[in-house]
Protein backbone atom coordinates (compact mmCIF):
# COMPACT_ATOMS: atom_id res chain seq x y z
CA UNK A 1 0.00 0.00 0.00
CA UNK A 2 0.90 3.63 -0.47
CA UNK A 3 -0.32 5.68 2.49
CA UNK A 4 -0.17 9.46 2.57
CA UNK A 5 -1.54 12.60 4.17
CA UNK A 6 -3.15 15.41 2.24
CA UNK A 7 -4.54 18.88 2.91
CA UNK A 8 -3.38 22.17 4.36
CA UNK A 9 -0.41 22.15 6.73
CA UNK A 10 -1.58 21.18 10.19
CA UNK A 11 -4.93 19.94 8.87
CA UNK A 12 -3.84 16.87 6.91
CA UNK A 13 -6.17 13.92 6.42
CA UNK A 14 -5.10 10.29 5.96
CA UNK A 15 -5.21 8.88 2.45
CA UNK A 16 -4.36 5.91 0.29
CA UNK A 17 -3.13 5.90 -3.29
CA UNK A 18 -4.88 3.07 -5.13
CA UNK A 19 -3.45 0.91 -7.92
CA UNK A 20 -4.71 3.36 -10.54
CA UNK A 21 -3.01 6.31 -8.85
CA UNK A 22 -6.28 7.69 -7.47
CA UNK A 23 -6.16 9.35 -4.05
CA UNK A 24 -8.68 7.83 -1.62
CA UNK A 25 -9.75 9.24 1.74
CA UNK A 26 -8.98 7.07 4.79
CA UNK A 27 -10.33 9.41 7.46
CA UNK A 28 -13.33 7.15 8.05
CA UNK A 29 -10.97 4.27 8.83
CA UNK A 30 -8.06 5.82 10.78
CA UNK A 31 -7.65 9.26 12.36
CA UNK A 32 -4.22 9.83 10.82
CA UNK A 33 -1.26 8.03 9.27
CA UNK A 34 0.44 8.09 12.64
CA UNK A 35 1.08 6.14 15.82
CA UNK A 36 -1.07 3.07 16.39
CA UNK A 37 -2.56 3.32 12.89
CA UNK A 38 0.82 2.03 11.66
CA UNK A 39 0.91 -1.18 13.71
CA UNK A 40 0.70 -4.47 11.85
CA UNK A 41 -2.87 -5.13 12.97
CA UNK A 42 -4.07 -1.74 11.76
CA UNK A 43 -2.25 -2.04 8.43
CA UNK A 44 -3.75 -5.49 7.88
CA UNK A 45 -7.26 -4.04 8.29
CA UNK A 46 -6.52 -1.26 5.80
CA UNK A 47 -5.06 -3.72 3.30
CA UNK A 48 -8.19 -5.88 3.54
CA UNK A 49 -10.34 -2.97 2.35
CA UNK A 50 -11.48 -2.60 -1.25
CA UNK A 51 -9.98 0.79 -2.19
CA UNK A 52 -12.92 1.40 -4.53
CA UNK A 53 -15.19 1.65 -1.47
CA UNK A 54 -13.18 4.58 -0.11
CA UNK A 55 -14.18 8.15 -1.05
CA UNK A 56 -12.24 9.60 -3.99
CA UNK A 57 -10.39 12.85 -3.26
CA UNK A 58 -11.01 15.37 -6.02
CA UNK A 59 -8.60 17.98 -7.25
CA UNK A 60 -4.90 18.19 -6.48
CA UNK A 61 -4.53 18.86 -2.74
CA UNK A 62 -1.23 19.59 -1.07
CA UNK A 63 0.59 16.41 -0.03
CA UNK A 64 1.83 16.57 3.54
CA UNK A 65 4.50 14.51 5.28
CA UNK A 66 3.50 10.86 4.94
CA UNK A 67 3.62 10.32 8.73
CA UNK A 68 2.04 12.56 11.33
CA UNK A 69 2.84 13.19 15.00
CA UNK A 70 6.38 11.83 14.71
CA UNK A 71 7.91 11.64 18.18
CA UNK A 72 11.37 10.30 17.36
CA UNK A 73 13.19 11.35 14.19
CA UNK A 74 16.46 9.44 14.26
CA UNK A 75 19.18 9.79 11.65
CA UNK A 76 22.22 7.73 10.72
CA UNK A 77 25.44 9.44 9.65
CA UNK A 78 28.06 8.27 7.17
CA UNK A 79 26.12 5.09 6.36
CA UNK A 80 27.04 4.81 2.68
CA UNK A 81 30.54 3.59 1.87
CA UNK A 82 30.84 5.79 -1.22
CA UNK A 83 29.61 8.88 0.68
CA UNK A 84 32.10 8.25 3.51
CA UNK A 85 34.83 8.07 0.87
CA UNK A 86 33.88 11.42 -0.69
CA UNK A 87 34.06 13.14 2.71
CA UNK A 88 37.36 11.45 3.59
CA UNK A 89 35.84 9.79 6.67
CA UNK A 90 36.66 6.32 7.94
CA UNK A 91 34.02 3.61 7.66
CA UNK A 92 32.18 3.59 11.02
CA UNK A 93 32.52 0.47 13.14
CA UNK A 94 29.03 1.05 14.53
CA UNK A 95 26.17 3.23 13.25
CA UNK A 96 26.56 6.95 13.97
CA UNK A 97 23.25 8.16 15.41
CA UNK A 98 21.87 11.65 15.92
CA UNK A 99 18.45 13.26 16.20
CA UNK A 100 16.64 15.55 13.82
CA UNK A 101 13.98 17.71 15.45
CA UNK A 102 10.60 16.09 14.73
CA UNK A 103 9.07 19.50 14.09
CA UNK A 104 11.40 20.04 11.14
CA UNK A 105 9.32 17.52 9.16
CA UNK A 106 7.37 19.05 6.27
CA UNK A 107 5.61 17.85 3.15
CA UNK A 108 7.65 16.49 0.24
CA UNK A 109 6.98 19.51 -1.97
CA UNK A 110 6.89 22.25 0.67
CA UNK A 111 9.38 25.12 0.56
CA UNK A 112 12.62 24.67 2.50
CA UNK A 113 13.84 27.76 4.35
CA UNK A 114 17.59 28.31 4.53
CA UNK A 115 18.18 29.34 8.16
CA UNK A 116 19.29 32.73 9.38
CA UNK A 117 23.07 33.10 9.09
CA UNK A 118 23.49 29.96 7.00
CA UNK A 119 26.53 29.69 4.75
CA UNK A 120 26.56 25.97 4.02
CA UNK A 121 23.07 24.52 3.52
CA UNK A 122 23.32 21.13 1.81
CA UNK A 123 21.11 18.38 0.38
CA UNK A 124 20.90 14.62 1.10
CA UNK A 125 18.52 12.14 -0.51
CA UNK A 126 17.79 9.41 2.04
CA UNK A 127 15.74 6.28 2.53
CA UNK A 128 13.53 6.58 5.62
CA UNK A 129 12.25 3.68 7.70
CA UNK A 130 8.85 4.18 9.35
CA UNK A 131 8.35 2.05 12.44
CA UNK A 132 5.20 -0.05 12.81
CA UNK A 133 5.04 -2.34 15.84
CA UNK A 134 8.45 -1.28 17.11
CA UNK A 135 9.80 -2.36 20.49
CA UNK A 136 13.07 -2.71 22.39
CA UNK A 137 15.90 -5.20 21.79
CA UNK A 138 14.48 -6.25 18.43
CA UNK A 139 16.39 -9.22 16.92
CA UNK A 140 17.81 -8.44 13.48
CA UNK A 141 15.96 -11.38 11.92
CA UNK A 142 12.66 -9.95 13.21
CA UNK A 143 13.35 -6.32 12.36
CA UNK A 144 11.20 -6.18 9.23
CA UNK A 145 8.19 -7.28 11.28
CA UNK A 146 8.67 -4.09 13.33
CA UNK A 147 8.64 -1.82 10.24
CA UNK A 148 5.49 -0.29 8.72
CA UNK A 149 7.17 0.87 5.52
CA UNK A 150 9.63 3.14 3.77
CA UNK A 151 9.66 6.69 2.39
CA UNK A 152 11.83 9.33 0.74
CA UNK A 153 13.50 11.90 2.99
CA UNK A 154 15.65 14.92 2.22
CA UNK A 155 18.00 15.19 5.20
CA UNK A 156 18.67 18.90 4.66
CA UNK A 157 21.83 19.89 6.55
CA UNK A 158 23.66 23.09 7.47
CA UNK A 159 27.31 22.01 7.43
CA UNK A 160 28.78 24.98 9.33
CA UNK A 161 26.25 24.47 12.15
CA UNK A 162 26.85 20.71 12.03
CA UNK A 163 30.64 20.58 11.88
CA UNK A 164 32.14 23.92 12.85
CA UNK A 165 29.97 25.12 15.72
CA UNK A 166 30.91 22.47 18.30
CA UNK A 167 28.66 19.87 19.84
CA UNK A 168 26.57 17.21 18.16
CA UNK A 169 25.40 17.06 14.56
CA UNK A 170 21.86 17.94 15.66
CA UNK A 171 22.75 21.64 15.41
CA UNK A 172 22.86 21.45 11.63
CA UNK A 173 20.08 18.94 11.08
CA UNK A 174 16.92 20.11 12.81
CA UNK A 175 16.29 23.63 11.52
CA UNK A 176 12.68 24.36 10.53
CA UNK A 177 11.70 22.65 7.22
CA UNK A 178 14.88 20.48 7.19
CA UNK A 179 12.91 17.21 7.00
CA UNK A 180 10.78 16.84 3.83
CA UNK A 181 9.19 13.38 4.09
CA UNK A 182 7.10 11.49 1.53
CA UNK A 183 5.19 11.70 -0.79
CA UNK A 184 3.90 8.43 0.60
CA UNK A 185 4.73 5.61 2.96
CA UNK A 186 5.17 2.39 0.99
CA UNK A 187 4.44 -0.66 3.13
CA UNK A 188 7.09 -3.35 3.36
CA UNK A 189 5.12 -5.88 1.29
CA UNK A 190 5.45 -3.61 -1.77
CA UNK A 191 9.23 -3.16 -1.52
CA UNK A 192 10.93 -6.16 -3.14
CA UNK A 193 14.50 -5.42 -2.01
CA UNK A 194 15.01 -2.34 0.12
CA UNK A 195 18.79 -2.84 -0.08
CA UNK A 196 18.85 -2.38 -3.86
CA UNK A 197 16.93 0.80 -4.65
CA UNK A 198 18.20 3.54 -6.97
CA UNK A 199 18.46 6.95 -5.29
CA UNK A 200 18.97 10.33 -6.97
CA UNK A 201 18.86 14.08 -6.42
CA UNK A 202 19.00 17.06 -8.79
CA UNK A 203 19.73 20.73 -8.13
CA UNK A 204 18.23 23.03 -10.77
CA UNK A 205 18.02 20.08 -13.15
CA UNK A 206 21.61 18.89 -12.63
CA UNK A 207 21.92 15.32 -11.36
CA UNK A 208 24.31 15.55 -8.39
CA UNK A 209 23.44 12.37 -6.48
CA UNK A 210 23.05 9.07 -8.29
CA UNK A 211 23.44 6.14 -5.93
CA UNK A 212 21.83 3.04 -4.50
CA UNK A 213 20.81 1.68 -1.13
CA UNK A 214 23.03 -1.32 -1.90
CA UNK A 215 26.07 0.69 -0.74
CA UNK A 216 24.67 1.19 2.77
CA UNK A 217 27.19 0.07 5.38
CA UNK A 218 24.48 -0.94 7.85
CA UNK A 219 21.27 -2.20 6.28
CA UNK A 220 17.74 -1.38 7.37
CA UNK A 221 17.18 -4.54 9.40
CA UNK A 222 20.44 -4.06 11.30
CA UNK A 223 19.68 -0.39 11.99
CA UNK A 224 16.30 -1.19 13.54
CA UNK A 225 17.91 -3.91 15.63
CA UNK A 226 20.82 -1.68 16.67
CA UNK A 227 18.82 1.43 17.54
CA UNK A 228 16.36 -0.62 19.58
CA UNK A 229 19.22 -1.55 21.92
CA UNK A 230 19.40 2.06 23.09
CA UNK A 231 15.80 3.28 22.93
CA UNK A 232 12.30 1.94 22.45
CA UNK A 233 11.05 2.36 18.91
CA UNK A 234 7.38 3.34 18.85
CA UNK A 235 4.82 3.23 16.03
CA UNK A 236 5.35 6.19 13.73
CA UNK A 237 8.99 6.81 14.63
CA UNK A 238 11.15 7.66 11.61
CA UNK A 239 14.74 6.55 10.97
CA UNK A 240 16.50 8.21 8.05
CA UNK A 241 19.36 5.98 6.99
CA UNK A 242 22.11 8.02 5.32
CA UNK A 243 22.92 9.34 1.86
CA UNK A 244 24.91 8.26 -1.20
CA UNK A 245 27.69 10.47 -2.63
CA UNK A 246 27.11 13.77 -4.39
CA UNK A 247 26.31 16.11 -1.50
CA UNK A 248 27.45 19.71 -1.78
CA UNK A 249 30.11 19.21 0.88
CA UNK A 250 31.78 16.59 -1.30
CA UNK A 251 32.32 18.84 -4.33
CA UNK A 252 35.69 20.47 -4.92
CA UNK A 253 35.19 23.28 -4.15
CA UNK A 254 32.09 22.59 -2.02
CA UNK A 255 28.71 23.77 -3.34
CA UNK A 256 25.92 24.97 -1.08
CA UNK A 257 22.39 26.29 -1.44
CA UNK A 258 21.87 30.04 -1.18
CA UNK A 259 18.17 30.36 -2.00
CA UNK A 260 16.27 30.27 -5.28
CA UNK A 261 17.24 26.70 -6.17
CA UNK A 262 14.83 23.89 -7.02
CA UNK A 263 15.84 20.51 -5.57
CA UNK A 264 14.21 17.34 -6.93
CA UNK A 265 14.88 13.88 -5.54
CA UNK A 266 13.52 10.36 -5.52
CA UNK A 267 14.00 6.71 -4.68
CA UNK A 268 13.01 3.81 -6.89
CA UNK A 269 9.48 2.70 -6.02
CA UNK A 270 9.08 5.25 -3.22
CA UNK A 271 8.19 8.37 -5.19
CA UNK A 272 9.67 11.82 -5.77
CA UNK A 273 9.94 15.16 -3.99
CA UNK A 274 10.55 18.72 -5.20
CA UNK A 275 11.37 21.71 -3.02
CA UNK A 276 12.03 25.37 -3.65
CA UNK A 277 14.81 26.58 -1.33
CA UNK A 278 14.26 30.07 -0.03
CA UNK A 279 16.48 32.38 2.00
CA UNK A 280 15.33 33.21 5.52
CA UNK A 281 13.30 36.41 5.72
CA UNK A 282 13.03 37.66 9.29
Amino acid sequence: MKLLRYGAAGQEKPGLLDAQGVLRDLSGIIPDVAGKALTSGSLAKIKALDPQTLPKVDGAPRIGACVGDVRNFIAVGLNFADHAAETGAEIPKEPILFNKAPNCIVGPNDDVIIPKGSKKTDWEVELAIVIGDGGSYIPEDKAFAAIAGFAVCNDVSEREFQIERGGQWAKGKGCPTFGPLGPWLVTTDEVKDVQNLAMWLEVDGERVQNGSSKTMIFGCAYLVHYISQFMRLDPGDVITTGTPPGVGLGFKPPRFLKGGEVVKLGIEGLGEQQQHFKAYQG
Side-chain angles (χ1 to χ4, degrees), residues 14 20 24-25 40 55 59 64 77-78 83 101 109 135 138 143-144 185 223 243 256 262:
Q20 289 71 45
R24 303 280 177 174
D25 180 36
S40 56
L78 294 175
H83 171 56
N109 305 312
I138 299 168
F144 276 94
L185 183 162
L223 290 173
T243 196
F256 298 113
V262 175

Side-chain angles (χ1 to χ4, degrees), residues 241-261:
T241 61
T243 196
V247 300
L249 181 66
F251 279 81
K252 300 186 186 308
R255 295 169 54 178
F256 298 113
L257 300 166
K258 304 298 184 184
E261 301 90 350

Side-chain angles (χ1 to χ4, degrees), residues 103-151:
N103 64 2
C104 82
I105 294 175
V106 292
N109 305 312
D110 289 348
D111 293 340
V112 173
I113 306 303
I114 294 174
K116 181 179 180 180
S118 170
K119 299 176 183 177
K120 299 180 179 181
T121 294
D122 204 347
W123 57 83
E124 293 190 12
V125 58
E126 301 206 3
L127 167 70
I129 300 167
V130 180
I131 296 298
D133 290 342
S136 295
Y137 308 112
I138 299 168
E140 186 174 357
D141 62 358
K142 298 186 184 305
F144 276 94
I147 297 172
F150 304 96

Side-chain angles (χ1 to χ4, degrees), residues 103-216:
N103 64 2
C104 82
I105 294 175
V106 292
N109 305 312
D110 289 348
D111 293 340
V112 173
I113 306 303
I114 294 174
K116 181 179 180 180
S118 170
K119 299 176 183 177
K120 299 180 179 181
T121 294
D122 204 347
W123 57 83
E124 293 190 12
V125 58
E126 301 206 3
L127 167 70
I129 300 167
V130 180
I131 296 298
D133 290 342
S136 295
Y137 308 112
I138 299 168
E140 186 174 357
D141 62 358
K142 298 186 184 305
F144 276 94
I147 297 172
F150 304 96
V152 181
C153 179
N154 189 353
D155 177 21
V156 185
S157 308
E158 212 298 341
R159 303 301 188 188
E160 182 188 30
F161 298 176
Q162 175 190 354
I163 300 169
E164 301 171 39
R165 298 287 297 272
Q168 298 180 350
W169 288 8
K171 283 185 180 179
K173 296 286 190 169
C175 301
T177 73
F178 269 27
L181 186 67
W184 42 70
L185 183 162
V186 182
T187 52
T188 55
D189 58 302
E190 290 201 6
V191 181
K192 184 178 179 181
D193 183 0
V194 74
Q195 298 305 154
N196 191 24
L197 300 178
M199 307 170 64
W200 57 271
L201 183 145
E202 297 174 350
V203 178
D204 290 335
E206 178 189 356
R207 183 68 60 98
V208 291
Q209 288 191 273
N210 200 17
S212 170
S213 61
K214 67 184 178 183
T215 67
M216 287 173 64

Side-chain angles (χ1 to χ4, degrees), residues 14 17 35 41 43 58 63 91 109 115 123 153 170 184 193 217 232 253 268:
L17 196 71
L43 293 178
D58 294 323
I63 303 300
I91 299 296
N109 305 312
W123 57 83
C153 179
W184 42 70
D193 183 0
I217 299 164
R232 187 184 72 213
E268 180 183 356

Side-chain angles (χ1 to χ4, degrees), residues 2-20:
K2 292 182 175 68
L3 303 177
L4 66 154
R5 301 168 70 248
Y6 68 95
Q11 302 176 39
E12 293 92 346
K13 295 181 178 180
L16 179 150
L17 196 71
D18 70 18
Q20 289 71 45

